[in-house]
Amino acid sequence: MQVSDPLGVPGAPQETWGAVQAHLADSARAGGRLILVTDRQGDRQNAAYAALIVQAGQAVIAAPAFGPRYGRPGAEALAELVKWAHERDWPVRETVLNSSDFVRVLAEPDAGEVGRLIAASNPSDPGIYTTLPKLKPLDEEDWEDA
């Protein structure tokens, strides 16, 4: 499997989603799979996600920039990414990567690690990613502590 350089900027949801869209717009391949990679299990309200996009023997990872950990923009970018894949009948899968490997593997993926991520992924319901979480608004006291 050929693994491309990672797309996007860690922690920058809209920039990363834009890089994914640009990458996929250049692709003539119709089918693919979306595998969401997270370092959290059972804590979706605080989760960060990276995206592993697999098409015709090629894989590309989008930086960890999706999900509620990155605030409303991260949750919205995750919802848009999953809706995009679902509209194209791409299967949506998820895999959990232990937190000690999360940053390392996603920054410099090799074919063996990507293969293990694919093998460890499980089918997932797209609806759990497209329902935006209720994010607590900051009050004045939070601003003073920030």
Side-chain angles (χ1 to χ4, degrees):
M1 173 169 299
Q2 181 180 359
V3 180
S4 300
D5 289 335
L7 298 172
V9 178
Q14 294 304 319
E15 291 84 350
T16 302
W17 173 224
V20 169
Q21 288 176 305
H23 170 77
L24 294 171
D26 293 339
S27 173
R29 294 179 292 270
R33 288 181 282 173
L34 172 63
I35 300 171
L36 299 172
V37 182
T38 186
D39 66 344
R40 302 246 175 162
Q41 188 167 5
D43 187 14
R44 293 192 192 283
Q45 293 294 322
N46 298 305
Y49 293 92
L52 172 57
I53 299 160
V54 182
Q55 294 178 293
Q58 292 187 324
V60 66
I61 290 181
F66 300 97
R69 186 178 303 166
Y70 305 109
R72 170 100 18 225
E76 289 172 352
L78 176 63
E80 291 171 18
L81 171 65
V82 171
K83 285 178 187 174
W84 184 95
H86 187 65
E87 288 169 356
R88 285 152 183 80
D89 293 323
W90 285 24
V92 176
R93 301 177 66 87
E94 180 178 315
T95 190
V96 179
L97 186 60
N98 71 54
S99 56
S100 63
D101 288 334
F102 189 71
V103 174
R104 180 191 60 77
V105 169
L106 298 176
E108 297 181 18
D110 68 36
E113 290 170 323
V114 168
R116 287 188 289 280
L117 289 174
I118 294 169
S121 68
N122 293 300
S124 193
D125 179 359
I128 63 176
Y129 309 104
T130 57
T131 303
L132 295 177
K134 295 190 186 330
L135 300 175
K136 179 185 164 211
L138 291 177
D139 59 26
E140 289 182 31
E141 289 177 16
D142 292 326
W143 284 105
E144 292 171 8
D145 294 335

